[in-house]
Amino acid sequence: MKYLFSLIAIVVLFCCQTQKMESKYSTIEYKAGACFGSCPIFKITIHQDKTAVFEAEHFNFSKGFNKSDFNKPREGTFRGNIKEKDYKKLIALIDGLDIKTMNDKYGRRNITDMATSYVRIKFADGSSKEVEDYGKNGSPKLVEVYNFLEDLRTNQDWKKVD
C-alpha cells in the first residue's frame, strides 16, 4: 500500500511539474498582415489553457487571387482548442527562440509587397515581448514558428462564432 501511495504521489507531482512548464506563456498571439497579393490576413490568439481564437480577414480559405476579394466581407471569427500535441510543439518552438533576447523588429522595407508578421508573447509573470518581422525572414527558428502558427488555421477544429 505504501508503494502504491508513493507511486501515485510521484505521478501527481510529475503532472503538476509538467503543467508549470507549459504555463510559462499566458498568451501567444500571431498576426499576419497583408501583402500586394493573396497572403492570408489573420490573427490567432492562444491561451495557456489551449483555448484559441482565430480571426480570419482574407485569403485564409481561398486559392488564387482577385483584387475584388478585398471587397468581400471578412471571413469570420472562430474559436477552438489547440490539440495537446500541437500546443506542446508550439511551446517547444517558442522555447527554442529565446524570444526575450530577440530584436523587436526584423526585415527591410525596401521591397513594398511583403507581408508583416507580428508575434506577441505574454508571459505568466506579466511581462511581454513583441517581434515585428517585415517579410517573415527574421531567423530560421522564427520562420519555423510562423509556419507552425499558420498551419494551425487548417489543422485544428475551429467553430465559427462570427
Side-chain angles (χ1 to χ4, degrees), residues 18 54 81 99 102 114 119 122 133:
T18 302
F54 166 35
N81 292 306
I99 196 157
M102 294 186 78
M114 306 200 57
V119 175
K122 294 181 183 173
D133 187 356

Side-chain angles (χ1 to χ4, degrees), residues 20-28 46-49 87 90-100 121-125:
K20 287 179 186 175
M21 288 172 40
E22 290 181 354
S23 65
K24 182 184 341 183
Y25 311 111
S26 62
T27 307
I28 300 164
I46 303 167
H47 302 281
Q48 68 187 41
D49 64 357
Y87 185 78
L90 177 60
I91 296 303
L93 289 170
I94 292 172
D95 284 347
L97 287 177
D98 193 17
I99 196 157
K100 284 189 176 184
I121 306 294
K122 294 181 183 173
F123 297 91
D125 67 5

Side-chain angles (χ1 to χ4, degrees), residues 81-114:
N81 292 306
I82 303 301
K83 296 172 187 169
E84 181 73 26
K85 69 178 178 67
D86 292 329
Y87 185 78
K88 286 181 179 180
K89 172 77 174 176
L90 177 60
I91 296 303
L93 289 170
I94 292 172
D95 284 347
L97 287 177
D98 193 17
I99 196 157
K100 284 189 176 184
T101 64
M102 294 186 78
N103 295 340
D104 292 337
K105 293 188 178 192
Y106 291 93
R108 296 187 182 142
R109 297 190 181 269
N110 55 350
I111 302 171
T112 60
D113 67 343
M114 306 200 57

Side-chain angles (χ1 to χ4, degrees), residues 10-21:
I10 289 170
V11 169
V12 168
L13 288 174
F14 179 73
C15 290
C16 291
Q17 186 65 19
T18 302
Q19 288 290 50
K20 287 179 186 175
M21 288 172 40

